[in-house]
Amino acid sequence: MNMNSKVIISFIISYFVFYYSYGQNTIPTRDYEVNLENDAVHQYMQDVIYEPHDKSLIDNYRQGVIYRMDWPNPVVLDIPQTTADSLLIYCCDDETLKDSLIFRVSAKEKTTELYNFIPNRVYRYHIKNGDDILQQGKIRTSGQLRQINVCNTVYNVRDLGGWKTSDNMQIRYGKIFRGTELNGNHIATAEGINILRELGVEAELDLRATYNTGYNNSAFGFSSVPSSGDVSTYYCTSGSGELPSHLKNSNWIIKWRLGFKHIVNNLRQGRTIYEHCVWGRDRTGFLSFLLEGLLGVSYSDLAKDYELTFFVYNTKSTKDSIDKVFDYINTMPGETLRDKFNYYFVNKLSVQQSYIDYFRSEMLEPIRTEDNAIKDIQDDIEITKESVVYDLSGRRVKNARKGNIYLIKDRYGQIRKILF
């Protein structure tokens, strides 16, 4: 049993001991709500729908922004008065009692900022001084994109989870993270490495070339040599190239195949994977494009996820390079875009279909709404040209049709069904 599991069990036991011994009402309760997407990212996610070869729109959303656009909004909690120097805050999914987050915070401040929650969850939290619970309640999160605040020296870290697929599923959070390197030009602090470990990272896929860093070794200390009966926890491609030549280059075809198998083999072991190159942009963006396409993500969302990196680096978007990749994938046989990605993996990368099937089974889950709390059909919500409307699978709809049922946020941010 790992340390995180022990903490979760301790958290659950302490909660029920206090609940039955003293009753809920004896402990101060405060609830919080936050959209985890920072303003620039949130507007981009809400507004943009791409068709192949559309001009990049990201400049419209990053101009004049002075905060870290690759970081999520924090959950800001009030700190109860105490004589202690520091307090522990325990959080876990209220429904599953999983996805725990643990924070040690200063007790000298009136508030504290907590990061790296999963969107569309209700978390139960306790603020504790030793065995005493000083405050409890729930944290309701919204948004879709899960950005990760690791440390000031590491950029562009985010979860592959949350993207919707063509079969009305979504990618699970907490399975694969992507970002910059953690040793080399971007050196993670010990605390930053620990944050990723606490998020479950137990395997690393390194897409750097030898000349990038001279290291090609794991920032986490993972091994590239499997122990008896195990699989390697570190794999490095040791190569570079230019998009879209990665698709057809025989050397890279081998690297993508081995990299994909490295991901699947570690998922089988229950491990979360951190994939990265140097900047978490080109090679990392390309691999994420392939993985998400294989799972059934739409072209628009594939392009948006690739382009989100340019909220970090204020340079011209290279969306046109990923469009060239899309053009090549689109030449593959198949009725749907996912079928075409599947053909590429099987017939060009020589990946076994059983690996693909397992990858999908592990990475996909039913779409989870905000606290699963879609309200009853409302007739009193005004629909305007500026209204953002979604179908029942959570996809944004360009042209709503009369007589259909859609999802929309009311003025309080609640998800509601409407009869258009």
Side-chain angles (χ1 to χ4, degrees):
M1 181 181 296
N2 61 36
M3 181 61 68
N4 205 28
S5 298
K6 292 179 180 178
V7 171
I8 294 171
I9 292 173
S10 174
F11 170 48
I12 295 171
I13 291 173
S14 67
Y15 168 72
F16 283 109
V17 167
F18 273 83
Y19 183 92
Y20 288 109
S21 298
Y22 304 103
Q24 278 187 303
N25 294 331
T26 62
I27 303 171
T29 299
R30 292 190 181 182
D31 295 337
Y32 300 86
E33 294 188 20
V34 62
N35 189 310
L36 299 178
E37 295 170 349
N38 65 64
D39 291 346
V41 166
H42 180 68
Q43 285 303 122
Y44 176 83
M45 294 286 288
Q46 292 287 313
D47 294 349
V48 174
I49 300 177
Y50 277 131
E51 298 291 343
H53 300 285
D54 279 352
K55 182 181 178 181
S56 169
L57 298 173
I58 199 164
D59 278 345
N60 299 339
Y61 298 90
R62 62 183 183 180
Q63 293 178 356
V65 178
I66 59 174
Y67 50 80
R68 283 280 297 261
M69 289 180 282
D70 61 327
W71 281 4
N73 284 331
V75 174
V76 181
L77 259 62
D78 297 313
I79 297 298
Q81 290 186 344
T82 177
T83 58
D85 292 327
S86 64
L87 300 170
L88 281 174
I89 303 178
Y90 299 87
C91 309
C92 73
D93 188 301
D94 186 47
E95 181 179 335
T96 65
L97 298 183
K98 296 180 180 179
D99 297 320
S100 63
L101 293 168
I102 304 162
F103 307 90
R104 180 173 290 280
V105 301
S106 170
K108 303 303 181 183
E109 305 295 332
K110 292 183 178 180
T111 62
T112 189
E113 295 184 350
L114 309 180
Y115 287 92
N116 304 335
F117 290 83
I118 296 175
N120 292 330
R121 293 288 188 271
V122 176
Y123 286 85
R124 183 185 302 278
Y125 79 89
H126 289 156
I127 301 180
K128 297 184 68 176
N129 178 21
D131 293 330
D132 296 331
I133 299 178
L134 305 183
Q135 184 176 305
Q136 65 179 3
K138 293 182 179 180
I139 300 168
R140 186 186 304 271
T141 64
S142 59
Q144 175 188 311
L145 185 68
R146 187 190 188 192
Q147 297 172 293
I148 304 298
N149 178 351
V150 175
C151 56
N152 286 326
T153 54
V154 173
Y155 299 85
N156 200 25
V157 181
R158 58 185 187 266
D159 195 323
L160 257 66
W163 295 100
K164 309 298 188 295
T165 67
S166 55
D167 52 356
N168 293 331
M169 301 286 278
Q170 72 179 23
I171 301 177
R172 293 181 192 273
Y173 293 101
K175 292 294 184 179
I176 300 176
F177 293 100
R178 55 172 291 178
T180 62
E181 64 187 354
L182 305 174
N183 56 358
N185 293 313
H186 308 95
I187 301 177
T189 62
E191 181 183 3
I193 293 289
N194 191 52
I195 285 172
L196 289 170
R197 284 185 175 276
E198 289 181 348
L199 291 175
V201 174
E202 294 182 305
E204 181 180 354
L205 176 54
D206 186 344
L207 303 172
R208 294 176 295 181
T210 302
Y211 69 79
N212 285 143
T213 65
Y215 296 123
N216 290 89
N217 58 3
S218 173
F220 297 91
F222 297 142
S223 175
S224 59
V225 180
S227 58
S228 177
D230 201 355
V231 299
S232 65
T233 50
Y234 176 71
Y235 171 67
C236 183
T237 57
S238 299
S240 186
E242 295 294 330
L243 293 176
S245 61
H246 282 151
L247 284 162
K248 304 177 186 179
N249 181 282
S250 59
N251 185 39
W252 268 101
I253 283 174
I254 295 172
K255 296 177 187 299
W256 295 130
R257 179 172 68 249
L258 294 177
F260 180 70
K261 288 189 173 182
H262 176 75
I263 289 173
V264 172
N265 287 336
N266 279 283
L267 288 174
R268 290 184 188 275
Q269 301 296 317
R271 297 173 183 144
T272 292
I273 299 98
Y274 184 74
E275 53 144 331
H276 69 92
C277 47
V278 176
W279 302 94
R281 181 178 61 196
D282 301 311
R283 280 161 283 181
T284 302
F286 176 62
L287 177 58
S288 299
F289 181 91
L290 292 179
L291 297 177
E292 292 163 358
L294 189 62
L295 293 171
V297 174
S298 69
Y299 164 80
S300 179
D301 285 348
L302 290 173
K304 284 165 66 175
D305 188 39
Y306 178 80
E307 199 175 44
L308 279 164
T309 292
F310 292 91
F311 276 115
V312 186
Y313 308 112
N314 194 22
T315 57
K316 181 181 178 181
S317 168
T318 57
K319 178 181 176 295
D320 57 338
S321 66
I322 215 70
D323 275 330
K324 293 176 183 178
V325 174
F326 171 77
D327 288 344
Y328 177 72
I329 293 293
N330 211 31
T331 66
M332 303 291 132
E335 293 184 7
T336 66
L337 183 57
R338 190 180 76 167
D339 292 340
K340 295 174 183 292
F341 275 98
N342 200 105
Y343 184 93
Y344 175 76
F345 270 77
V346 172
N347 294 280
K348 302 298 182 180
L349 300 186
S350 300
V351 171
Q352 294 174 330
Q353 186 65 46
S354 60
Y355 272 78
I356 296 172
D357 293 341
Y358 179 82
F359 179 67
R360 287 178 177 146
S361 69
E362 188 67 22
M363 291 295 297
L364 296 177
E365 65 179 358
I367 292 174
R368 186 169 177 178
T369 61
E370 294 176 356
D371 190 27
N372 293 321
I374 298 178
K375 307 302 182 182
D376 294 334
I377 291 179
Q378 301 290 309
D379 295 323
D380 58 347
I381 298 178
E382 182 181 1
I383 305 298
T384 68
K385 291 181 179 180
E386 290 74 30
S387 298
V388 180
V389 179
Y390 303 87
D391 64 21
L392 295 181
S393 70
R395 278 181 202 287
R396 185 175 171 184
V397 177
K398 275 188 173 180
N399 299 306
R401 296 182 179 181
K402 291 289 185 181
N404 288 350
I405 296 175
Y406 297 103
L407 303 179
I408 191 171
K409 283 188 178 181
D410 64 19
R411 59 179 178 167
Y412 303 106
Q414 294 293 316
I415 298 293
R416 296 184 180 274
K417 291 181 181 178
I418 60 162
L419 178 62
F420 187 71

